[in-house]
Each structure stands twice: as structure tokens, then as C-alpha cells.
Amino acid sequence: MMLKTAESRRRTEQHDAGGRTPDEAARRSGPITEPKHMRRYILVVGVLIALAVGVTFGIMTWNNPADTGSRPWWLIVEMRRDSLITIAVVAVCHAVSTVAFQTAVNNRILTPGIMGFGSLYTVIQTSAVFLLGVGGASALVGVGPFLLQMAAMVVFATVLYTWLLGGKFSNIHIMLLVGVVIGGVLGSLSNFMQRMLTPSEFDVLQARLFGNISNARVDYLPYAIPIVVAVVALLWVRSNTLNVIALGKTNALNLGISYKRELIIIMALVSLLVATATALTGPMMFLGFLAATLAYQFGDTYSHRMLFPLAVLFAYTILAGSYFVLRHIWDAGGAVTIIVELIGGLVFLIVLMRKGRL
């Protein structure tokens, strides 16, 4: 009996003011729970920054025919700088929108492309060539058409989200299903019009339907960059809300989140980012999926304030690396979707096979 009492007293003395044992006191919850985890996160970020800087330096200086440091050399560097800014804007749009979208729908395989943004872009481009001929493609070049395409995609997505999430359906799975069906209908309409085109018109159209860095013009950037910065800042401020929404609808409601309102706001912000990226360079289905999946694997955290930068670094490195290989080694222009879709599609199949479900 005396031994039992002494053992009980010793255990009581070891408890802190909160009644926790030393092991429990050392344990904490947070985005990074161990120093080893933090070191690995910093290492991954450091490696990605080094790769991004290396690829950026390669794009700006590789195969520059002018003498290093001369005025013609700097003029060529400045021309390539615009492509790098476009790559950065598109990478931010796809990475941040995909991470936020996957949190909202509580699924790490689906991407915003499932809502029919790419199909709507294809219909707009195909309709212009179908109705106006080869000159229709050039009619969609310029700040005005760029902003109109963005507005059309944002209005389409906002009406869809508000109707399906705010009405009597109020079901995110129905919204996704309707998005898939609308994307299929728009795709069929595009295919029908493409069959009516002449070979020369079809050739011009195909060049615009590939996601291509060369599609973006410098005069688009002063309009696109402020929009992207503002939307990313709003999503960054809502990072803690996204962390709670990731727990699921029931837990989010129990923790005091206005689930439906937050979902509509997040979807509207996601649609702005995807519309900007698609209007700039064309559809890229797997870039966001690839960046988000790698960020989940290497970040190993639920915190969106740690996932967003990691996903952006992955997206920029992949996109800039693809552009460097295609532009400066294979001399194949800036049609980066050739590499991005190939690698992204393979990763998607691997993830799908491992999970065994959508």
C-alpha cells in the first residue's frame, strides 16, 4: 500500500499545471509538429528555389547570340523576361486555384478544369474562327477580347456555383456532375464546328487551342497581375478557413464556419484565377493537379499557408523547365502542354490507381 501511494505521488508531481504528463506537454498540434518535419519542408523549399532560379537563368541566357553584357544581349534578355513573368502568373493561378478547389470539394484528384473552363475557352475560339474565318483568330487578340473571355468564364462559373450551391440542390457533387456534363456539351459543340472548317482554318485554330506561353501578350499582363495578386491575397487571408473546410462539412459547421457562403466565395475566387490563366495561355488541364499533388507529398501538412508557396514553386519549376526544354533545346516553340500534360497525365493515373477511387 505504501509503495502504491508513493508511486501515485510521483506521477502527480510529474504532471504540469494543466494536468498533463511530460510526454503530453511536449506534444502539440500545428502545421509542423516536429523539428525534423520543419527541416524537411525548408530543404524542399530551398531545392525548389534553387531549381527555379537555375531554370530562370537558363531561359534568359541560353543560346543568346549577342556578346554577353552588350546592349543587344540585354535586349534579348528583356524580351525573354516577359515570357518568364507570364509563366509565373500562370503557375500562381493554377497552383493556388487547384489547392483551394480540392479543399473545397474535399477531393485531391479533381481539378477546376472539371467545371468546363477549358471547354468554354475552346468554344469561344472555335466560334470565332467558324463565324469569321481565319481572321476570327486575330479578332480575339488584344486587351478587349482578353478581358471579354475572362468575363465570360467568370460569369459562367459564378452563375453555376450560385445556382447549384445556393439553391435547393446545395450539393457540391451535383455541381461537379453538372460541370462535367456542361463541359461535354461544349466539347461536342466545338467538335461539330471544327468539322465544318477548312484545313487552313483548322490548322490556325489548333495552334490556339494548345496551352502556349506565346499566346500571352505583354499588354495583357498589367490587367492580369493585379487581379491575380488580389485574389491570391484573399485566399491567403482565408487560409485558416480553408484548413477548417478541409475537415469536412459537418466539422466545419460545428466549428462555426458559414459553410455555404465560404464555399461560394472560394469557388468564385478560384474561377477568377482559372479564367485569367486560361485567357492568357490557353487550357492546361494537369499543371495544377501536378503542382498540388507534389505539394501534398513533399509538404505533408494541412496548413494552406505552407501548401500554397510549395505548390506555386512546383508549378513554376515544372512550367519554366518545360518551356526551357521546348523553346531552347527542341526548338518547338512555347507549347508547354506537350510536356505538362504528358507528365501530369501519368501522375494522375498513378495517383488514381493507388487510391482506387476518385
Side-chain angles (χ1 to χ4, degrees), residues 37-283:
H37 190 180
M38 175 59 84
R39 285 196 296 270
R40 192 179 68 177
Y41 180 86
I42 293 173
L43 177 65
V44 172
V45 171
V47 170
L48 285 174
I49 290 175
L51 287 173
V53 170
V55 175
T56 302
F57 183 76
I59 290 174
M60 296 187 80
T61 59
W62 184 273
N63 203 22
N64 191 330
D67 294 332
T68 304
S70 63
R71 179 169 174 73
W73 188 86
W74 281 110
L75 286 174
I76 294 173
V77 168
E78 288 177 6
M79 291 171 63
R80 296 178 178 180
R81 177 200 59 195
D82 297 332
S83 298
L84 286 167
I85 295 174
T86 303
I87 290 171
V89 172
V90 173
V92 170
C93 289
H94 279 281
V96 174
S97 64
T98 303
V99 171
F101 180 84
Q102 291 181 342
T103 299
V105 301
N106 202 16
N107 189 306
R108 290 187 171 182
I109 291 181
L110 300 177
T111 65
I114 198 172
M115 300 307 298
F117 287 101
S119 301
L120 184 60
Y121 175 84
T122 303
V123 163
I124 293 172
Q125 296 288 334
T126 307
S127 300
V129 177
F130 179 77
L131 297 174
L132 304 175
V134 176
S138 58
L140 290 178
V141 176
V143 174
F146 167 72
L147 294 176
L148 279 176
Q149 288 182 79
M150 274 185 58
M153 286 185 271
V154 171
V155 169
F156 162 75
T158 305
V159 169
L160 192 65
Y161 297 151
T162 308
W163 171 46
L164 293 174
L165 291 177
K168 63 179 180 181
F169 300 107
S170 190
N171 188 316
I172 202 160
H173 296 104
I174 292 178
M175 184 195 73
L176 295 174
L177 184 60
V178 171
V180 171
V181 172
I182 291 177
V185 171
L186 295 177
S188 299
L189 182 61
S190 301
N191 288 333
F192 173 74
M193 288 189 286
Q194 288 171 11
R195 288 180 178 277
M196 309 286 283
L197 300 177
T198 63
S200 59
E201 291 172 340
F202 185 77
D203 187 47
V204 171
L205 175 64
Q206 284 300 306
R208 296 197 59 81
L209 295 185
F210 275 102
N212 194 328
I213 300 300
S214 303
N215 286 343
R217 292 162 55 104
V218 179
D219 47 352
Y220 296 169
L221 296 176
Y223 299 91
I225 291 175
I227 294 172
V228 172
V229 170
V231 174
V232 170
L234 287 173
L235 284 171
W236 179 268
V237 169
R238 294 179 178 277
S239 293
N240 291 331
T241 304
L242 285 167
N243 293 342
V244 177
I245 289 176
L247 298 173
K249 181 179 179 180
T250 305
N251 290 325
L253 288 171
N254 288 335
L255 290 171
I257 296 292
S258 178
Y259 185 78
K260 190 185 297 183
R261 185 175 69 90
E262 292 296 333
L263 211 55
I264 292 175
I265 292 173
I266 291 168
M267 288 298 189
L269 295 176
V270 166
S271 68
L272 261 172
L273 289 178
V274 179
T276 304
T278 306
L280 267 177
T281 59

